[in-house]
Amino acid sequence: MDKRKLTFIPLFLICIFVKAQEINGIIVDGNGEGLPFANVLLQTASDSTLVKGAITNDNGVFKFEGANSGNYIVTASMVGFSTKSTTVFVYQKNTDFTIQTLILNEGVELDEVIVQTTKPIFVQKIDRMVINVENSIVSAGSSALEVLERSPGVIVDRQNSAISLAGKNGVVVMIDGKISYMPQESIVQLLEGMSSDNIESIELITTPPANFDAEGNAGFINIVLKKRTDLGLNGTYSISGGIGNGTTTSDNISFNYRKNKINLFGNYSFLRDSQGQLFAFSRVFTNEQDNLVDLATVSDRDPVQRNHNVRLGLDYQASDKTVLGVLVGAYDNKWTMDAVNDSRETENGVPFSFVQLLNTERNQWQHFNSNINLKHNFTDNEFVSVDLDYLHYYDENPTDYTNSFFDGDNNFLREELTLSDKTTPINIVVGKADYSNQLSEGLKLETGVKAVISDFKNDVSVATFDGQSFIEDPTLTNQSILNEQILAAYTSIDYKLTEKTSLKLGLRYEHTDSELDTETDGRVVDRNFGNFFPSVFISHAVNDTLGFNLSYSKRITRPTFNNLAPFVIFIDPTTFLSGNSALQPATSNSIKFDTTYKSFLLSFQYSVEEESISGFQERFDEATGRLFFEAANNDQTKLFTVTLGLPITITNWWKMQNNFIYLNTQVSAVLQDSPFSFEQNTFRANSSNSFTITKSFSSEINMNYFGASLFGIRKFDPVFGMNIGFQKKLGDKWGTLRFAINDVWDSFEFTGRTQIPEQNLNTENTFDFSNRTFLLTYSRSFGNDKLKSSRQRGTGSEDERRRVN
């Protein structure tokens, strides 16, 4: 292009950019053609600190909005071209400024240079812990649930389908910043069927701000899926196989296609796990004849988990400022089990009876979800985002029980056939809108509204064969219908008090209207209430390496659909797992103080929760002699937590990330009109050790220790587990091979006890879900792996992660 023509480009740009308060320009190649998708950086002239980043459009045009007054330079770069910077220029705020045209010449063709950095597996930030799953060797080929189980501060109660964080129940699970809105049981199955190879990181968020739902005393777990920003078609796939007490496989493929204004992405995963499990239940009580009864049950379980999970999304860049996104997903998670339960009963030490229960169960969750998202950026600092979601779930849970009864001398008495069934369709519609605006250099406003409409119909039936026909058990058969609406609005202000001190104030209001009707008892839940949920964050940076943060928040924990919907699972003829439609919401107040020094963290948190919900609590019905395991409200739970994050670099080839947690838990409860209190001090530790053996060969050792802990009124014994893994990179074209041994000592089992003699309650239960497993995983990328400077696609949740961090 003629140099005289180049002089007209700035004048042309002035005509195009009629919006004031912009720094704009154009990037061209040696022929004068605009370069699309070039990286452009706005930097301070004094020290080249990055202020803003942008991507050129199809014509090579870029712009920066909302910059402050100062001396700047602009640097442009693109793969295959030279890097070029402007001379220093002075920009005055609230004016329009066009820089000189930058010409990038094609560079000499060089061998490709790949610069790689490895993120630490655990990164403790001011409000959350980030677990970089993609960098964990022992996580390869595992499920998301298994990764969570190995995460510091996380306890997964598979039997009760519950997840607790830092000793607190009520965790809300999000996928890519979007709440899953599904029952806890379905969440656990979803995570069990989600391959870790599709996950970039897992964020454990303990102190959410006002724009997060007030639901969940324990905070949020956000699962961030892998995203690709390459142009063209690319993706990854992995296959894995393992063996322990049974076989396991976890296979997945993900792809991304990006061209011009369209980005199409998706993934599919398949999991099958047939690892055996062993449960043991023991109950000692005094019967009506004043005899000491000892009932012990051992459940040898042979489950098979088979999951299909698919997700497909499309983003369309309607304009430079508007992005329209569509996302659909579905899964079919099928869990089947054959189990043999042997129950022996003694009275005063003398064998009294023996029952063998043969159990065949199927629990199948099917799910479809769809989302439409529209985000419009008025400026770089002002946007509005609108989401509309529809979710449908269907759970079917038929179970057959064949009970064989024997006397104390093992003489056969009779056989009894019992059938139970549960079907639960759930529908959820969610609409929300969020607005964010950086009003000035030190003041940011965020506000939004949200509505959630949910309903389910739960049918539970239990029938016993009397020799001629099946007779329903009216005490265990029921139908429930739930209708619930939650309306919410929030606003928050981020204010910079000084250069080193920031204040964030948030207020959220949520109104809940819930109605639960049962066939046997009529309306058992009729709640119509509203609550304000304030939050306060104060942060102060002493210098670049030392900082403090103080926060307060109020939260609510609503009963899960799974707990509200009645269900019945037999452990033995007199021991059941059950729902509890009488559960009440729990509210909590929490204060947290953090101090960070370089990459070290020390955190203190204290919370008080009223009407706290604890899962899998025992309730003994003396009239029927039945023991129920169900979620229940306790009067109050006080929790004091100290967290220490301690990364250590031993040598340049050995790095450690250590996380230590101390908890003091105090629980107050009323059982059968009598008050009780329980207290437990707990210590937990996680240590992840990464070893670089050669440039292409590395290994990892992950160790977890959970000290004695208190969940509601049940106390659990300490647990220790270790996982080791090795990784070999086979070259740029041949992928990566990983070998892992999970639960090396086969020691990861949970034993809990409830001992309240005054209530005739003395139980001990052991759950062994985990087995020593040898797992081999192969993964490989395909398609275009040359990183082009693609357009930046942000969502409201991504902006929130940046703000909270």
Side-chain angles (χ1 to χ4, degrees):
M1 180 180 286
D2 192 291
K3 289 185 178 180
R4 290 174 298 175
K5 294 181 180 179
L6 288 176
T7 61
F8 289 96
I9 291 178
L11 297 176
F12 176 70
L13 289 173
I14 293 174
C15 297
I16 293 177
F17 290 90
V18 296
K19 174 80 172 173
Q21 307 174 24
E22 294 179 354
I23 299 173
N24 51 59
I26 187 170
I27 309 299
V28 300
D29 61 17
N31 298 319
E33 300 294 332
L35 275 177
F37 306 117
N39 278 319
V40 188
L41 306 178
L42 178 66
Q43 300 166 291
T44 58
S46 59
D47 57 6
S48 297
T49 299
L50 176 63
V51 178
K52 291 179 180 292
I55 303 297
T56 58
N57 65 13
D58 293 341
N59 299 315
V61 175
F62 69 90
K63 61 182 177 179
F64 301 108
E65 295 179 334
N68 296 318
S69 299
N71 298 334
Y72 296 104
I73 60 172
V74 168
T75 301
S77 63
M78 188 170 181
V79 175
F81 291 83
S82 61
T83 298
K84 193 74 174 287
S85 297
T86 67
T87 57
V88 176
F89 62 90
V90 180
Y91 174 71
Q92 297 296 327
K93 190 174 182 180
N94 298 327
T95 63
D96 185 34
F97 185 84
T98 301
I99 70 164
Q100 67 195 61
T101 300
L102 284 177
I103 304 173
L104 303 188
N105 296 312
E106 291 192 68
V108 178
E109 187 68 27
L110 300 173
D111 290 338
E112 181 180 11
V113 177
I114 300 175
V115 180
Q116 292 181 324
T117 60
T118 301
K119 302 176 186 176
I121 295 175
F122 299 106
V123 177
Q124 181 68 61
K125 296 187 177 181
I126 202 165
D127 71 315
R128 70 189 67 184
M129 176 175 286
V130 179
I131 304 165
N132 291 306
V133 178
E134 61 180 343
N135 294 307
S136 173
I137 300 171
V138 300
S139 295
S142 301
S143 69
L145 192 67
E146 290 172 318
V147 175
L148 275 180
E149 286 180 314
R150 295 194 286 264
S151 302
V154 178
I155 293 291
V156 177
D157 179 358
R158 298 202 192 201
Q159 183 63 30
N160 200 44
S161 299
I163 302 173
S164 66
L165 177 60
K168 296 191 288 185
N169 296 316
V171 173
V172 175
V173 175
M174 300 191 299
I175 308 294
D176 280 339
K178 296 184 181 295
I179 296 176
S180 54
Y181 295 107
M182 64 180 72
Q184 278 283 341
E185 182 177 358
S186 183
I187 290 174
V188 171
Q189 284 204 7
L190 170 67
L191 298 179
E192 177 65 28
M194 181 182 292
S195 172
S196 65
D197 297 306
N198 277 338
I199 301 173
E200 177 180 323
S201 63
I202 295 177
E203 300 176 344
L204 310 179
I205 307 169
T206 56
T207 54
N211 63 298
F212 280 71
D213 280 5
E215 174 70 30
N217 171 41
F220 290 75
I221 294 178
N222 184 33
I223 298 174
V224 182
L225 301 180
K226 290 181 179 178
K227 303 178 183 67
R228 300 293 296 259
T229 58
D230 310 4
L231 286 174
L233 175 67
N234 50 69
T236 60
Y237 67 87
S238 70
I239 55 176
S240 68
I243 188 168
N245 185 15
T247 60
T248 182
T249 182
S250 177
D251 314 306
N252 74 90
I253 183 170
S254 63
F255 76 93
N256 190 92
Y257 176 75
R258 183 186 294 275
K259 186 176 182 180
N260 298 329
K261 296 182 178 182
I262 293 178
N263 182 41
L264 179 67
F265 57 92
N267 59 64
Y268 165 76
S269 62
F270 171 77
L271 176 139
R272 187 181 187 278
D273 191 344
S274 61
Q275 302 265 21
Q277 301 172 350
L278 190 68
F279 294 176
F281 302 87
S282 175
R283 175 159 57 111
V284 178
F285 62 96
T286 302
N287 63 15
E288 294 180 349
Q289 290 76 36
D290 207 28
N291 293 325
L292 185 64
V293 178
D294 189 339
L295 180 61
T297 300
V298 175
S299 179
D300 190 354
R301 300 154 59 96
D302 186 18
V304 176
Q305 178 91 30
R306 188 275 297 150
N307 294 348
H308 297 280
N309 198 333
V310 64
R311 181 173 177 265
L312 186 65
L314 173 69
D315 286 339
Y316 174 69
Q317 189 83 44
S319 69
D320 289 342
K321 295 184 177 182
T322 305
V323 177
L324 178 65
V326 178
L327 182 67
V328 294
Y331 64 70
D332 183 359
N333 294 348
K334 183 179 180 181
W335 184 84
T336 58
M337 182 191 69
D338 292 321
V340 178
N341 300 345
D342 290 333
S343 299
R344 295 190 179 275
E345 182 179 347
T346 64
E347 288 193 7
N348 298 325
V350 178
F352 181 77
S353 67
F354 171 70
V355 179
Q356 185 175 75
L357 185 151
L358 304 181
N359 176 200
T360 300
E361 181 178 357
R362 174 171 64 90
N363 192 4
Q364 187 166 1
W365 279 92
Q366 295 175 321
H367 165 62
F368 169 78
N369 71 82
S370 59
N371 167 266
I372 298 176
N373 169 263
L374 176 67
K375 184 182 180 184
H376 178 75
N377 293 283
F378 301 102
T379 67
D380 284 351
N381 299 317
E382 181 183 11
F383 74 84
V384 63
S385 178
V386 180
D387 281 271
L388 181 64
D389 294 81
Y390 170 72
L391 306 97
H392 174 74
Y393 302 90
Y394 185 82
D395 177 36
E396 191 173 7
N397 186 199
T399 310
D400 300 342
Y401 304 94
T402 302
N403 297 307
S404 298
F405 294 87
F406 302 82
D407 63 17
D409 296 323
N410 285 339
N411 297 312
F412 178 75
L413 300 177
R414 71 183 190 279
E415 187 175 83
E416 186 178 89
L417 176 62
T418 300
L419 303 180
S420 74
D421 195 10
K422 182 177 85 76
T423 57
T424 311
I426 304 173
N427 296 287
I428 303 173
V429 178
V430 184
K432 76 182 187 77
D434 300 282
Y435 172 78
S436 176
N437 189 5
Q438 187 78 41
L439 299 174
S440 66
E441 183 177 355
L443 181 62
K444 182 178 182 179
L445 170 69
E446 291 182 313
T447 187
V449 294
K450 185 174 185 177
V452 182
I453 302 174
S454 311
D455 67 76
F456 75 64
K457 182 179 180 181
N458 186 75
D459 281 304
V460 176
S461 62
V462 177
T464 301
F465 190 67
D466 66 354
Q468 295 181 340
S469 61
F470 283 94
I471 306 298
E472 280 193 347
D473 185 337
T475 64
L476 300 175
T477 298
N478 209 343
Q479 182 186 89
S480 303
I481 298 176
L482 173 75
N483 290 284
E484 183 176 80
Q485 297 85 39
I486 301 174
L487 303 177
Y490 77 89
T491 186
S492 66
I493 295 176
D494 227 331
Y495 183 60
K496 195 170 184 179
L497 298 173
T498 68
E499 285 297 319
K500 294 185 176 182
T501 306
S502 297
L503 172 68
K504 182 176 182 65
L505 301 175
L507 183 64
R508 186 179 186 91
Y509 177 79
E510 292 191 358
H511 184 273
T512 304
D513 185 1
S514 298
E515 297 175 351
L516 178 64
D517 297 300
T518 67
E519 191 175 55
T520 56
D521 300 318
R523 180 153 296 179
V524 295
V525 173
D526 189 356
R527 303 189 187 109
N528 195 324
F529 63 94
N531 291 105
F532 284 97
F533 299 94
S535 60
V536 180
F537 296 82
I538 302 175
S539 63
H540 177 72
V542 178
N543 50 45
D544 291 340
T545 59
L546 179 63
F548 302 98
N549 185 72
L550 180 65
S551 63
Y552 160 80
S553 65
K554 181 180 178 180
R555 314 286 301 165
I556 186 172
T557 302
R558 298 180 180 89
T560 65
F561 289 161
N562 188 52
N563 283 327
L564 285 176
F567 65 92
V568 176
I569 297 177
F570 288 76
I571 302 300
D572 58 52
T574 60
T575 307
F576 307 85
L577 304 179
S578 176
N580 182 2
S581 58
L583 281 175
Q584 299 293 319
T587 57
S588 66
N589 290 273
S590 179
I591 187 168
K592 189 168 184 279
F593 175 77
D594 305 297
T595 178
T596 55
Y597 176 69
K598 295 182 178 180
S599 55
F600 302 96
L601 170 94
L602 181 61
S603 174
F604 302 87
Q605 185 171 12
Y606 180 72
S607 65
V608 179
E609 185 175 36
E610 306 293 339
E611 295 290 330
S612 53
I613 300 174
S614 299
F616 210 52
Q617 304 297 293
E618 291 102 334
R619 177 175 62 86
F620 182 55
D621 187 343
E622 293 193 22
T624 61
R626 290 173 170 175
L627 179 67
F628 293 89
F629 290 93
E630 61 187 16
N633 288 105
N634 297 315
D635 274 6
Q636 188 183 77
T637 298
K638 296 180 180 179
L639 185 66
F640 174 68
T641 307
V642 181
T643 303
L644 174 64
L646 194 64
I648 300 175
T649 299
I650 306 296
T651 68
N652 59 353
W653 53 266
W654 181 5
K655 297 181 179 180
M656 298 177 62
Q657 174 65 50
N658 304 294
N659 299 285
F660 306 99
I661 299 178
Y662 163 78
L663 304 98
N664 175 264
T665 308
Q666 300 178 37
V667 177
S668 301
V670 175
L671 304 174
Q672 298 182 12
D673 299 325
S674 299
F676 291 89
S677 60
F678 309 87
E679 184 174 1
Q680 179 66 47
N681 292 307
T682 304
F683 175 74
R684 297 176 182 170
N686 172 278
S687 179
S688 182
N689 298 260
S690 301
F691 304 92
T692 302
I693 301 172
T694 68
K695 183 181 295 186
S696 62
F697 188 59
S698 57
S699 66
E700 179 185 326
I701 299 178
N702 183 272
M703 294 176 286
N704 286 285
Y705 173 78
F706 298 131
S709 55
L710 194 64
F711 283 83
I713 62 174
R714 175 183 290 116
K715 180 180 179 180
F716 279 87
D717 291 347
V719 175
F720 173 79
M722 184 173 75
N723 310 288
I724 63 175
F726 303 90
Q727 175 176 283
K728 173 65 177 177
K729 295 181 179 179
L730 304 177
D732 295 339
K733 297 182 178 180
W734 298 105
T736 302
L737 190 66
R738 300 181 180 96
F739 174 72
I741 307 175
N742 293 330
D743 197 6
V744 173
W745 308 116
D746 198 15
S747 57
F748 218 71
E749 64 179 35
F750 294 92
T751 297
R753 297 176 178 84
T754 301
Q755 296 178 329
I756 310 177
E758 301 90 336
Q759 300 290 330
N760 202 13
L761 194 59
N762 185 4
T763 67
E764 179 178 318
N765 309 298
T766 298
F767 307 99
D768 187 1
F769 290 100
S770 176
N771 303 282
R772 182 189 301 111
T773 305
F774 302 89
L775 194 65
L776 187 65
T777 302
Y778 173 74
S779 60
R780 185 179 179 184
S781 299
F782 62 86
N784 177 21
D785 61 356
K786 308 294 186 190
L787 181 64
K788 305 293 184 181
S789 299
S790 62
R791 60 181 173 83
Q792 296 299 301
R793 163 71 161 93
T795 67
S797 62
E798 290 170 346
D799 284 39
E800 278 312 309
R801 285 196 290 270
R802 286 194 292 270
R803 179 180 59 75
V804 176
N805 288 346

